[in-house]
Amino acid sequence: MKRLFLTLFLLSVFSLSSIAQQLQFKNYKVEDGLISNETHAILQDSKDRIWISSIGGVSCFNGKTFKNYTTENGLTSNISFSLFEDSKERIWVGTLNKGVCVIQDEKVVLSETFETKFLGSANSFLEAKDGTIYIVFARGIASYKNGKWEKLDINYNVTNNATLLKSAWYDDNTIFITSTNNGVFKLTLDTLKLENIYSDKDGINKICYSILIDDDKVIWLGTYGSLNKIDKGKITNYNFNPNEFDLNRVYDILEENENELYLAFEGNGFGVFNKKSGKITIYNEKQGMPSKYIYSIIKDTEGNHWMTSYGEGIIRFRDTSFKIYNKEQGMPSNFVNDFVQWDDELIIATDAGAIAVTSPENVRYFTDNKPVTNLFITPENTLLASTNQDVKEYSKNKPPKVIDTGVYNLIYKDEDRTLLFETSRIKAITKDSTYFINSSRSVGVVPIGDRLILCKISGLYQLHNNKVSPIPGIDFYEHNNFRSIDVISENEIIAGNEKNFYYIKLESDEYKIKILDISRLINLNYFRALKVDDKDLWIAGRDVFYKVDLNLLLEKDSISSKHFNTVSHFLENDIDFNSLHVTHKKTVLASSISGIITFREDEYIQNFQPPRLNLSDVLLFSEPLEDSLYRSSNRIILPYQKNYLTFLMEAITFTNPEKVKYQYRMKGLRDGDEWSPATSDPKAVFSFLPPGDYTFEFIADNGIGDWQSKPYQYNFTIKLPFWRTGWFWFSLLTFISLGVFISIYYKNKQEQKRNEIYTHNLIKAQERERIRVARELHDSVGQKLMLLTKKTKSLGNTEMETLAGNTLDELRTISRGLHPATLEKLGPTAAIIKLINEVDDNTNIFFTHEIEDIDALLSKDASLHLYRIIQEVLNNMIKHSDAKAAYIQIAKKNNFLETTIVDNGKGFDSIDKLKFNNSLGMQTLVERAKILNSKIDIKSQINKGTQITLSTPL
């Protein structure tokens, strides 16, 4: 059996057969975020996300994280067997005996459990061109259109209680449906006729799980133990290994291309079936599959194949370019120490002996089962092999001979000597002598010119004239930690450490050294080995191989490369230092303590597709932002205090998701047009953003440097605080202005009121003073003048008598002017009439009047003020109007006493009116009107007289 495994291994290495061992599989399980490890259906939606149904709910996967849906999110059941995306981008979920659910915009928006008691599990979905969704249940078929559910009234009289499973369109009116006990049914939609068309009587296993109808209308059926092809009624059965009949239950069929089908087996992993040859290649646990129970298979937009499984979650498979060979596949040991190609044989040294392979049919043990540590092909084309006991030289036609005994970590031979490397010295063996050269342990040794270059962890050294010394120009204090070395030509070598490559050329006994920065290989981590292959330089790191254009690197210090990733930790341990090898067939090999890893570039499927971008969430102060609360047309409007935002960027890619890089920027900030440095952190945090309009943009690569050129955009606005808005300042200024105005107004009003009070008090004081002066004149001066008049009369002095009499009359007139005594004696009505008559008698103005009796209407003070107002108007009329006639009316109208004084004088214009209003007499008149709470109105026109109206409330 072990020999068989070795034969298969060599078949892969030499002939590049598709038979391989331990391929790359990556599975995602509960510990990665998946809702359940027992998965069933799988699909990739129009937004590139992958949906998985399971016994624990439904999961949505973006390459890095899972979003899970359960009954807590609205599903009718956590157990689901089928998934479907319709033309409206809704995800339909078929559950176990609980109907169907619909997920849209990350929410369960629709669920229906009608007649589940009779229909059973929802097992598959189809959508017609008119948008009708057909749901195939275990025991019937239903439809959904425009919000209406309907159970199809079909004749479903079949035996053995067949369970309907998968379905496929044959044409717009015909659906083919598989079943568990009756083979295949045909449903004709216009007649709702269900017919059992293919079953065991036709040579098809009646347990039929899956169906595929290709573009040529060829029907492919996956049944228990076989694959069936129906082409124009002709049935062809493909029965695989009879010994594995029970394992080959074909649960799903995927059309890979026009020549190949991928088959999902419940019990035997998956197979790649060639339509033309009818042959199948099966991949299962022997090739490293996490599970052999596979239920569904799809191919994503990047070329990855995804499979659901029993107990191992979802499994990703991409290609067969990388393979691992170890003890499980028949190698003597996992610890592979070295390998060389010796003519037509590949010699592999392990901790359990060395094997030699000449062809897939000829594999032999080259040594016993003791550890073989090193191999070397000599100039004489013999093979040196070191063990933990000795060093032997093998030739093609002679028995091996022992060169030396002991343990050596490196061996080398040229035409003059054999060098055996110990830990602290080198043993040199020539034809005539043996001597030792002091030297610490070396990783590798290569010739250059007339000397050797030793690659050590501590640095690069030359062995020349039996002395080991540092290479001039490479200071081992600055340049150390070397991992690998190889020959370019007779006088050129290249070596590498974790920071640089070192190109060394020997010319005329002098070294020319060029140091090349290794960091430009951005996906290279933990550099381990390099190998020159003609014009290419192969480089190995953790989980990656690089192929670099060697001439371009050395001549122009420029990098032109391809890199090839494995899944993370595909090889359990890192490859050994300086262990790369390229065969004549261009297979790249590397050794490790976990076996041999091989790589074929022509089998590698590169992903050049950039990722699809999305925001998985936006956080506001670490809490999810409720978009609907702040959404306005095409952007988010946030208040000024909601300004601490975290954007969770999402790059949907599945080939190298763990190596995705992001760049982002915030347009609207001062440096908002500049992209951030590339980062693997999907979080972009912006704290305390100032108010303004912003657009957050980000791009991402697919993990290998292919960037999405169209940025994802998120528009939002942070509003100004209300105290920084124009309307606030306008309102504030308006309010302040209004306040100032009101303040000034009330201040003026108070001042005016104080002035009015003062004026009123002054007028009252004037009236009191007038009364006092009038009385004094009447009682004192008047009495004395009267005595003087009488005395001059008695003396007969006529002249003096006349003068004294006139003086007395003037005094009495002044006294009456100061205080009209008639006002108190006769009342306001008579006093006013008398005043008018006196003016009429003493002027050329003709007065007429209509004065009602107002004595009972006015108080004493009010009567006085009305009298004074009329008196002032008449005085002004006499002085300024040049009137010939005047009319005075005092009448009660409603609750007002209206006083009207009209003359036919010369009138005045606005300028004269201004002067008139500003005169002392007029101001006094106005103040008296205010005391009466009266409204005074003055109307005048040039040469048309003047009318003054006083309205006094009663």
Side-chain angles (χ1 to χ4, degrees):
M1 179 61 71
K2 182 172 289 189
R3 186 177 182 87
L4 174 61
F5 281 129
L6 289 171
T7 300
L8 296 181
F9 164 69
L10 270 299
L11 180 64
S12 173
V13 171
F14 285 100
S15 65
L16 307 178
S17 168
S18 61
I19 300 176
Q21 305 299 320
Q22 196 164 340
L23 303 175
Q24 292 189 92
F25 295 96
K26 167 70 176 176
N27 65 322
Y28 295 86
K29 303 175 68 175
V30 169
E31 50 265 37
D32 301 303
L34 187 65
I35 193 66
S36 172
N37 287 337
E38 189 172 335
T39 55
H40 296 287
I42 189 168
L43 68 81
Q44 185 174 32
D45 68 14
S46 57
K47 297 179 181 177
D48 289 350
R49 301 170 299 181
I50 291 178
W51 293 80
I52 308 103
S53 71
S54 70
I55 65 169
V58 175
S59 297
C60 180
F61 185 45
N62 65 9
K64 279 191 173 182
T65 59
F66 291 88
K67 180 177 178 61
N68 298 317
Y69 300 84
T70 65
T71 52
E72 295 180 357
N73 306 106
L75 293 181
T76 56
S77 172
N78 286 336
I79 303 176
S80 55
F81 294 118
S82 57
L83 292 169
F84 177 73
E85 183 185 24
D86 65 16
S87 57
K88 296 180 180 179
E89 299 183 350
R90 298 177 296 189
I91 303 299
W92 293 72
V93 181
T95 70
L96 175 64
N97 300 329
K98 292 288 186 179
V100 299
C101 303
V102 177
I103 301 174
Q104 187 175 26
D105 297 330
E106 300 185 354
K107 294 180 181 179
V108 179
V109 297
L110 178 67
S111 60
E112 180 56 56
T113 60
F114 71 99
E115 299 190 41
T116 54
K117 179 179 180 181
F118 305 102
L119 295 178
S121 301
N123 292 325
S124 62
F125 301 85
L126 291 174
E127 182 176 11
K129 291 182 178 180
D130 64 355
T132 301
I133 306 295
Y134 292 96
I135 307 104
V136 176
F137 289 87
R139 293 184 294 276
I141 303 170
S143 67
Y144 174 86
K145 184 178 181 181
N146 299 328
K148 182 181 179 181
W149 296 90
E150 183 180 357
K151 179 180 180 296
L152 299 189
D153 185 15
I154 58 178
N155 181 13
Y156 185 55
N157 296 320
V158 295
T159 61
N160 300 324
N161 296 317
T163 297
L164 301 181
L165 293 176
K166 299 291 183 66
S167 57
W169 289 106
Y170 187 80
D171 56 39
D172 293 345
N173 191 47
T174 309
I175 297 174
F176 280 49
I177 306 170
T178 64
S179 71
T180 55
N181 289 316
N182 287 85
V184 181
F185 290 87
K186 182 177 78 171
L187 173 64
T188 305
L189 292 176
D190 56 358
T191 60
L192 293 182
K193 182 179 180 181
L194 186 67
E195 304 172 79
N196 189 200
I197 57 171
Y198 297 111
S199 187
D200 50 358
K201 65 181 184 298
D202 304 297
I204 292 176
N205 194 312
K206 64 181 180 179
I207 303 176
C208 191
Y209 301 110
S210 55
I211 184 169
L212 170 72
I213 302 176
D214 64 23
D215 293 339
D216 297 325
K217 299 300 181 182
V218 176
I219 303 169
W220 298 89
L221 299 175
T223 67
Y224 193 111
S226 64
L227 176 69
N228 300 274
K229 173 184 176 182
I230 305 174
D231 186 4
K232 299 177 182 178
K234 180 182 178 181
I235 299 175
T236 305
N237 295 323
Y238 298 95
N239 296 305
F240 310 124
N241 188 346
N243 297 325
E244 298 178 342
F245 179 81
D246 289 335
L247 303 179
N248 294 330
R249 300 183 290 273
V250 185
Y251 261 65
D252 197 15
I253 306 172
L254 170 70
E255 188 171 22
E256 173 71 5
N257 51 54
E258 63 179 8
N259 295 320
E260 291 179 319
L261 300 177
Y262 272 53
L263 309 180
F265 295 117
E266 188 201 35
N268 204 17
F270 77 97
V272 180
F273 175 78
N274 188 290
K275 294 180 182 180
K276 294 182 178 180
S277 68
K279 295 181 179 180
I280 188 168
T281 303
I282 292 179
Y283 301 91
N284 51 34
E285 290 170 307
K286 296 177 182 178
Q287 284 75 37
M289 275 204 74
S291 173
K292 62 182 179 181
Y293 298 99
I294 305 300
Y295 298 104
S296 185
I297 184 168
I298 64 168
K299 185 177 182 179
D300 69 22
T301 55
E302 297 176 5
N304 299 293
H305 293 87
W306 293 87
M307 292 161 272
T308 59
S309 73
Y310 176 80
E312 291 294 334
I314 56 173
I315 301 169
R316 189 191 77 188
F317 170 73
R318 186 165 184 83
D319 57 43
T320 60
S321 59
F322 285 97
K323 308 174 186 72
I324 292 176
Y325 302 92
N326 52 32
K327 191 173 183 179
E328 293 181 3
Q329 282 79 48
M331 292 286 292
S333 170
N334 284 341
F335 290 81
V336 177
N337 299 316
D338 203 356
F339 35 68
V340 294
Q341 197 156 359
W342 190 23
D343 293 338
D344 58 345
E345 291 184 305
L346 179 68
I347 312 298
I348 303 171
T350 76
D351 269 11
I355 58 174
V357 181
T358 56
S359 69
E361 295 79 20
N362 189 0
V363 180
R364 62 188 176 90
Y365 280 90
F366 190 73
T367 68
D368 57 19
N369 60 359
K370 295 178 182 178
V372 177
T373 56
N374 289 280
L375 302 170
F376 185 81
I377 305 297
T378 70
E380 296 84 13
N381 198 32
T382 61
L383 174 66
L384 296 182
S386 65
T387 68
N388 57 1
Q389 294 179 339
D390 54 28
V391 178
K392 293 181 180 179
E393 184 174 14
Y394 295 83
S395 61
K396 294 292 184 178
N397 301 313
K398 297 179 181 180
K401 66 177 181 178
V402 176
I403 301 298
D404 193 40
T405 59
V407 178
Y408 301 101
N409 63 1
L410 196 63
I411 54 179
Y412 177 83
K413 184 179 181 181
D414 57 26
E415 295 176 351
D416 299 324
R417 58 188 173 177
T418 300
L419 300 178
L420 307 178
F421 289 75
E422 300 177 358
T423 302
S424 59
R425 64 180 184 174
I426 303 172
K427 187 175 185 178
I429 303 174
T430 67
K431 293 180 179 180
D432 302 323
S433 64
T434 299
Y435 57 91
F436 294 93
I437 304 169
N438 292 328
S439 176
S440 59
R441 185 181 183 121
S442 297
V443 174
V445 54
V446 295
I448 184 170
D450 59 350
R451 63 202 70 184
L452 300 177
I453 301 295
L454 308 183
C455 178
K456 304 172 180 284
I457 298 296
S458 59
L460 292 179
Y461 297 81
Q462 63 175 340
L463 175 56
H464 185 45
N465 297 327
N466 295 328
K467 291 183 179 180
V468 176
S469 61
I471 294 177
I474 301 180
D475 186 347
F476 58 83
Y477 287 109
E478 295 182 9
H479 306 281
N480 49 52
N481 203 14
F482 283 86
R483 311 287 177 83
S484 188
I485 191 168
D486 199 15
V487 174
I488 299 175
S489 68
E490 182 180 355
N491 293 307
E492 296 174 291
I493 65 101
I494 188 168
N497 63 15
E498 60 182 0
K499 295 181 180 180
N500 302 301
F501 295 126
Y502 296 79
Y503 168 64
I504 301 174
K505 186 175 183 180
L506 183 64
E507 287 185 348
S508 303
D509 209 34
E510 290 186 0
Y511 289 106
K512 292 185 178 180
I513 300 170
K514 186 180 292 186
I515 299 176
L516 309 164
D517 185 9
I518 203 172
S519 65
R520 290 174 291 178
L521 303 175
I522 59 174
N523 288 286
L524 179 64
N525 295 314
Y526 300 97
F527 166 71
R528 307 293 292 181
L530 58 79
K531 186 67 178 177
V532 175
D533 180 40
D534 195 16
K535 297 180 180 179
D536 297 319
L537 176 66
W538 284 93
I539 302 161
R542 180 174 294 176
D543 302 330
V544 66
F545 282 3
Y546 264 93
K547 180 182 178 183
V548 177
D549 185 320
L550 183 60
N551 291 337
L552 191 62
L553 176 67
L554 300 181
E555 293 173 5
K556 298 185 178 180
D557 192 13
S558 179
I559 297 289
S560 175
S561 67
K562 297 179 181 179
H563 68 278
F564 313 96
N565 291 90
T566 71
V567 297
S568 182
H569 301 294
F570 175 51
L571 190 66
E572 185 176 354
N573 295 283
D574 288 327
I575 68 171
D576 298 327
F577 289 164
N578 205 40
S579 67
L580 271 184
H581 180 76
V582 182
T583 71
H584 300 323
K585 299 289 187 178
K586 300 301 180 182
T587 299
V588 183
L589 302 93
S591 65
S592 76
I593 62 174
S594 301
I596 294 177
I597 184 171
T598 69
F599 172 71
R600 287 291 308 182
E601 183 181 1
D602 56 358
E603 296 178 12
Y604 188 82
I605 301 175
Q606 185 70 277
N607 174 36
F608 297 106
Q609 179 175 314
R612 179 179 287 232
L613 306 181
N614 189 30
L615 279 178
S616 61
D617 210 345
V618 179
L619 304 182
L620 185 60
F621 290 102
S622 301
E623 295 295 330
L625 174 66
E626 290 292 339
D627 189 280
S628 59
L629 297 178
Y630 304 102
R631 173 66 62 182
S632 176
S633 65
N634 65 335
R635 66 192 305 114
I636 299 296
I637 308 295
L638 297 173
Y640 71 93
Q641 67 270 34
K642 307 289 187 180
N643 60 353
Y644 195 112
L645 298 176
T646 301
F647 299 91
L648 302 183
M649 299 174 287
E650 181 180 77
I652 302 176
T653 183
F654 301 99
T655 307
N656 298 288
E658 64 281 350
K659 297 184 179 181
V660 166
K661 295 289 191 299
Y662 304 88
Q663 285 187 294
Y664 57 86
R665 62 185 177 186
M666 182 67 77
K667 287 189 171 182
L669 291 176
R670 182 173 57 185
D671 299 325
D673 290 333
E674 297 182 7
W675 290 102
S676 70
T679 176
S680 58
D681 187 356
K683 291 183 180 180
V685 181
F686 293 88
S687 57
F688 308 112
L689 288 167
D693 294 327
Y694 295 98
T695 298
F696 174 73
E697 293 185 343
F698 80 93
I699 55 177
D701 78 339
N702 60 357
I704 59 172
D706 295 307
W707 288 84
Q708 174 60 263
S709 60
K710 184 178 180 181
Y712 182 93
Q713 295 183 329
Y714 183 85
N715 299 314
F716 67 99
T717 296
I718 296 179
K719 296 193 297 185
L720 284 167
F722 68 90
W723 63 82
R724 291 179 59 185
T725 58
W727 66 265
F728 170 79
W729 284 106
F730 175 78
S731 301
L732 180 63
L733 292 174
T734 301
F735 178 78
I736 292 174
S737 301
L738 184 61
V740 171
F741 173 78
I742 292 173
S743 175
I744 294 173
Y745 173 78
Y746 278 104
K747 185 176 181 180
N748 290 339
K749 286 287 288 184
Q750 291 176 352
E751 183 69 23
Q752 183 179 1
K753 192 168 185 180
R754 285 195 297 270
N755 290 338
E756 287 178 358
I757 293 172
Y758 175 78
T759 303
H760 297 171
N761 292 335
L762 182 61
I763 291 173
K764 290 179 181 179
Q766 286 178 342
E767 291 297 333
R768 287 195 298 270
E769 187 64 18
R770 284 183 174 187
I771 293 172
R772 186 188 68 78
V773 172
R775 286 177 179 174
E776 289 294 330
L777 290 175
H778 181 271
D779 295 339
S780 177
V781 179
Q783 292 295 329
K784 290 179 181 180
L785 284 174
M786 186 179 295
L787 291 175
L788 179 60
T789 301
K790 289 180 178 179
K791 191 167 184 176
T792 53
K793 183 177 181 182
S794 64
L795 294 175
N797 189 340
T798 304
E799 184 178 353
M800 289 297 293
E801 180 183 0
T802 302
L803 179 60
N806 290 338
T807 303
L808 182 58
D809 290 338
E810 289 181 7
L811 180 63
R812 287 174 178 171
T813 301
I814 293 172
S815 177
R816 285 195 300 272
L818 289 173
H819 180 68
T822 55
L823 192 61
E824 294 181 0
K825 293 178 181 179
L826 304 178
T829 305
I832 291 171
I833 293 172
K834 184 178 181 183
L835 174 63
I836 295 170
N837 291 335
E838 287 179 351
V839 175
D840 185 34
D841 292 341
N842 293 294
T843 65
N844 295 324
I845 303 173
F846 178 74
F847 282 90
T848 58
H849 59 80
E850 293 182 45
I851 299 176
E852 294 182 6
D853 187 358
I854 61 173
D855 292 353
L857 301 178
L858 300 174
S859 65
K860 181 179 179 181
D861 289 340
S863 299
L864 176 60
H865 288 303
L866 179 60
Y867 180 87
R868 291 296 189 193
I869 290 171
I870 295 173
Q871 187 181 37
E872 179 64 29
V873 172
L874 295 179
N875 286 338
N876 285 331
M877 187 188 299
I878 294 168
K879 293 178 181 179
H880 306 294
S881 69
D882 293 337
K884 301 299 182 181
Y887 170 75
I888 300 172
Q889 181 187 48
I890 301 177
K892 180 183 178 184
K893 294 183 179 179
N894 296 327
N895 293 323
F896 289 88
L897 182 66
E898 190 169 284
T899 302
T900 304
I901 303 173
V902 183
D903 67 49
N904 62 353
K906 63 182 180 180
F908 52 85
D909 56 17
S910 58
I911 297 176
D912 293 332
K913 183 176 180 180
L914 181 62
K915 294 179 180 178
F916 176 72
N917 289 339
N918 291 331
S919 65
L920 180 60
M922 191 60 192
Q923 290 181 5
T924 303
L925 184 148
V926 171
E927 290 301 324
R928 289 186 183 276
K930 289 180 181 179
I931 295 174
L932 293 174
N933 293 321
S934 300
K935 178 182 178 182
I936 188 167
D937 182 44
I938 302 172
K939 297 179 180 179
S940 181
Q941 288 184 330
I942 298 295
N943 299 322
K944 292 187 178 181
T946 300
Q947 176 179 319
I948 297 176
T949 303
L950 181 70
S951 296
T952 304
L954 298 176

